Amino acid sequence: MYYWLSQLREAPVSAWIGIVLIGFFSILAIFAPLIAPFPEIAVVGPQYHAWAAPHYLGTDGLGRDVMSRLIFGARNTVGIALATTILAFLLGGITGLLAATLGGWFDMISSRIVDILMAIPSLIFALMILTITGTSVLSLILVIAVLDSTRVYRLSRAVAQDILTMDYIEVARMRGEGLPWLIRREVLPNAAAPLIAEFGLRFCFVFLFISALSFLGLGLQPPTADWGSMVRESAKLISFANFSTWQTATFGLAPLLPAGAIALLTVAVNLVVDWVLHISSGLKE
Amino acid sequence: MQPILKIILSRLMMGLLTLLIVTVVIFSAVELLPGDIATETLGQSATPETLAAFRSKFNLDQPVHVRYGLWLAGAVQGDFGVSLSNQRPIAELIQSRAGNTFFLAGYAAAIAVPLAILLGLVAALYRNSAFDRMISGTTLVAISFPEFFVAYILILIFSVTLGWFPSLADVDGSAPLPERLYRTFLPALTMTLIVMAHMMRMTRAAIINLLASPYIEMAELKGIKRWRVIAVHALPNAMAPIITVVALNLAYLIVGVVLVEVVFVYPGLGQLLVDAVSNRDVTVVQAACLIFAATYILLNMAADILSIIANPKLLHPR
């Protein structure tokens, strides 16, 4: 903990930008009902209200306040992406560690299943499964978590296999330590840094994936506020954009706001991941 | 037999085996569908006779493995059965759309691949310059920005503000080629921007890796110009990783096309797939997934095999 705090003081500007942005989005997500000026799904004004008080970012096609929906969108999209990533990590991480430590048939079978899952592009696979299960939040989380856990499995298995050849593992085994002890006390602490960086990258991937599905109309369903579906709903407006006046210029910006929020958060996480990778690789400038 | 042929053959077999397993996975998707397809299509009021007739017409009365065999045999010949929602043959729906999708992906690849390799070479030549740092920066942007964000920015700039290109690419194979290229320029540009950064970075890394080797130093000591050292001496040896990353990105292109097609309302396979998923038209989803997955697997296999061929150490075994 102390180590990370001391590293934080020396963190480059890019990492700080990332941390501040992530903090900003987290506050929006956690305190959404307190910050948002209007409710998430209530019609509060005329359709397509211009960017003026009290709707500072206008209203959408149903008269809902765009700024409030962006704030609630942070909560919904990021929350679901986070839950999916955690699930994918638990699933992929545990099976990967087990495959490396147990070896044998368990390793064989799980590796072949992962090979097959990874042979199909994940967007295509997800679309196929969602056709069967229908698009509910739960099936969305489960499908993406399973598809994404394959990468976590590969990484944690590779990292653990590297660690398992070390002498201290041999010593622990000769001491007669059991499997849970080996994983928890010897493997996990040494595998933490690459796994943390991977968590950031996976989160970005899942987040973009869910946004893409929502944009296609197959992710989070209305009236839930969500950045991907907000892009989809306001996409038509872009052809009415005209930069001669401020009023018409906002039409062009309507789909760019939620899309930009997605991009900004992903950039922020990537900046932090770059920094974590840099520290854990032990490289100095 | 030459060892390299043996390796290539084994990769080929592995690829085909993967493809076969994937067809099993895709086929079982329909089996997992809750409910009975015949009752669902014909409605609750259907008589037992019409249900039986429907089942025998679509071989639903056969056991699973027989149906899989029939489906696979049909798919190989381009016959994917009929759409569940409108009873039209899927081959009809798919034929022109698959052509459109491959056209768009090929168009994007034709811009992206040469440009990425060229810019990667320049970045390696002037490394640590402002240009090089800019290229590193664009990689971050390219992996972070969702496809539709890039697409809408391009639409806003080139279509709405400047009016140079149409924002909708609703053009099919019957249009003349120049018009087709013009109208699909923005979608192709979107995909180019997304896949280029990775290829650029890999080209740069592969070249820079080689620059430390003694034979490059020798070439430099002989007084050969720097661009010539890179293009003539370093590039051929950097080919293997570059080819691999190009093929992998082409595979990504085939999948990324789904989102881009929806943004630009391009009549391609991706658009069809998305519509079929929202209508829960499983047979169409199956066919589209099969085409996407097969292309993806074949490109990955090609990447594998090409990188073996491009590796001179394997061509001349001791």
Side-chain angles (χ1 to χ4, degrees):
Chain A
M1 197 64 216
Y2 175 75
Y3 171 75
W4 285 94
L5 280 179
S6 72
Q7 287 290 338
L8 201 58
R9 268 201 296 275
E10 292 170 14
V13 185
S14 62
W16 271 110
I17 296 175
I19 292 171
V20 169
L21 281 173
I22 293 174
F24 172 68
F25 279 116
S26 319
I27 291 171
L28 281 190
I30 295 167
F31 300 108
L34 300 176
I35 299 171
F38 294 96
E40 178 183 356
I41 50 177
V43 175
V44 290
Q47 295 175 9
Y48 302 122
H49 190 284
W51 287 17
H55 306 292
Y56 293 100
L57 295 177
T59 59
D60 65 5
L62 294 174
R64 296 171 298 194
D65 184 55
V66 169
M67 192 160 88
S68 309
R69 282 179 72 75
L70 274 177
I71 294 170
F72 276 102
R75 170 177 264 204
N76 298 329
T77 321
V78 177
I80 287 177
L82 202 60
T84 310
T85 319
I86 292 172
L87 195 61
F89 250 75
L90 287 179
L91 191 65
I94 291 173
T95 40
L97 290 178
L98 279 180
T101 31
L102 289 177
W105 61 268
F106 183 81
D107 187 22
M108 261 280 289
I109 293 174
S110 55
S111 292
R112 289 296 84 74
I113 293 175
V114 165
D115 282 349
I116 292 167
L117 285 179
M118 286 179 85
I120 308 175
S122 41
L123 179 64
I124 303 299
F125 205 88
L127 287 179
M128 197 174 75
I129 305 287
L130 289 175
T131 319
I132 299 158
T133 59
T135 47
S136 70
V137 173
L138 188 67
S139 58
L140 200 65
I141 291 180
L142 288 179
V143 168
I144 299 176
V146 169
L147 289 179
D148 213 47
S149 65
T150 54
R151 322 254 158 191
V152 185
Y153 169 87
R154 284 257 174 109
L155 181 85
S156 55
R157 179 170 169 273
V159 170
Q161 272 181 340
D162 262 5
I163 295 171
L164 284 172
T165 56
M166 300 285 176
D167 291 340
Y168 54 79
I169 298 288
E170 197 72 13
V171 172
R173 278 200 168 139
M174 280 199 288
R175 266 204 318 269
E177 304 290 1
L179 183 67
W181 201 93
L182 265 183
I183 289 184
R184 203 162 52 82
R185 298 296 298 275
E186 306 283 358
V187 178
L188 265 186
N190 290 298
L195 286 181
I196 289 172
E198 182 69 9
F199 188 85
L201 290 178
R202 284 296 106 207
F203 171 77
C204 287
F205 185 84
V206 168
F207 179 60
L208 287 176
F209 200 92
I210 292 178
S211 305
L213 283 177
S214 298
F215 171 73
L216 294 175
L218 305 167
L220 299 179
Q221 296 298 311
T224 312
D226 149 73
W227 292 341
S229 25
M230 286 177 74
V231 179
R232 171 192 173 81
E233 284 157 14
S234 54
K236 290 187 299 288
L237 285 179
I238 204 165
S239 43
F240 299 110
N242 181 338
F243 285 91
S244 53
T245 67
W246 168 245
Q247 290 290 316
T248 48
T250 59
F251 286 132
L253 298 177
L256 291 187
L257 277 177
I262 296 167
L264 200 62
L265 181 60
T266 328
V267 170
V269 175
N270 269 310
L271 288 174
V272 176
V273 166
D274 273 354
W275 173 62
V276 172
L277 275 178
H278 187 78
I279 297 174
S280 66
S281 68
L283 288 173
K284 288 286 163 209
E285 291 286 334
Chain B
M1 201 190 332
Q2 284 237 324
I4 182 161
L5 276 179
K6 220 185 223 166
I7 300 175
I8 290 176
L9 262 176
S10 79
R11 288 294 157 93
L12 212 59
M13 293 315 291
M14 276 302 287
L16 292 180
L17 187 68
T18 319
L19 195 55
L20 195 67
I21 296 172
V22 166
T23 60
V24 174
V25 172
I26 291 177
F27 177 78
S28 14
V30 173
E31 301 304 313
L32 293 172
L33 202 69
D36 176 38
I37 292 177
T39 351
E40 215 152 275
T41 333
L42 298 176
Q44 293 295 336
S45 55
T47 59
E49 288 80 24
T50 47
L51 281 177
F54 183 88
R55 287 205 182 97
S56 71
K57 186 179 169 197
F58 296 113
N59 299 316
L60 289 174
D61 46 0
Q62 308 278 350
V64 179
H65 60 273
V66 175
R67 270 183 292 139
Y68 169 71
L70 287 171
W71 176 74
L72 190 63
V76 169
Q77 295 163 28
D79 172 22
F80 293 95
V82 294
S83 151
L84 277 187
S85 64
N86 56 16
Q87 311 297 321
R88 282 175 58 197
I90 296 171
E92 218 173 84
L93 285 169
I94 274 182
Q95 213 165 33
S96 63
R97 281 169 170 272
N100 285 348
T101 292
F102 288 125
F103 174 80
L104 182 58
Y107 187 11
I111 305 175
V113 174
L115 201 61
I117 293 181
L118 189 71
L119 290 177
L121 283 179
V122 176
L125 191 57
Y126 301 106
R127 55 186 175 286
N128 300 327
S129 66
F131 176 77
D132 187 23
R133 275 199 297 277
M134 197 186 77
I135 282 187
S136 304
T138 50
T139 317
L140 175 68
V141 168
I143 56 171
S144 307
F145 282 21
E147 283 92 341
F148 47 81
F149 187 48
V150 178
Y152 284 124
I153 290 178
L154 290 179
I155 288 182
L156 199 58
I157 296 173
F158 290 107
S159 164
V160 176
T161 312
L162 297 172
W164 290 354
F165 295 98
S167 65
L168 296 183
D170 50 345
V171 57
D172 55 18
S174 58
L177 187 66
E179 194 199 331
R180 222 174 151 193
L181 288 175
Y182 169 70
R183 300 193 63 149
T184 51
F185 181 72
L186 281 188
L189 186 63
T190 309
M191 297 205 289
T192 301
L193 290 177
I194 287 163
V195 295
M196 218 174 68
H198 189 210
M199 290 194 277
M200 232 155 48
R201 273 295 278 269
M202 289 304 288
T203 308
R204 175 185 176 276
I207 297 276
I208 286 181
N209 259 342
L210 281 173
L211 289 184
S213 37
Y215 80 97
I216 295 289
E217 216 170 316
M218 182 67 206
E220 272 172 3
L221 287 175
K222 278 180 6 199
I224 300 172
K225 285 197 186 75
R226 268 182 85 192
W227 67 265
R228 205 183 141 80
V229 171
I230 287 185
V232 179
H233 295 247
L235 189 58
N237 282 312
M239 249 15 237
I242 294 176
I243 288 174
T244 315
V245 85
V246 165
L248 289 179
N249 273 289
L250 293 187
Y252 179 76
L253 210 62
I254 285 294
V255 182
V257 84
V258 175
L259 284 161
V260 176
E261 276 177 10
V262 171
V263 173
F264 290 97
V265 201
Y266 182 70
L269 203 55
Q271 179 94 272
L272 179 75
L273 174 60
V274 171
D275 290 345
V277 173
S278 34
N279 297 333
R280 303 189 73 172
D281 189 343
V282 186
T283 47
V284 175
V285 173
Q286 246 182 347
C289 284
L290 185 62
I291 294 177
F292 276 118
T295 319
Y296 185 78
I297 292 168
L298 291 178
L299 280 171
N300 275 318
M301 190 173 75
D304 250 14
I305 292 175
L306 282 174
S307 69
I308 294 170
I309 295 174
N311 186 346
K313 282 179 200 153
L314 288 173
L315 275 177
H316 305 287
R318 287 196 194 149

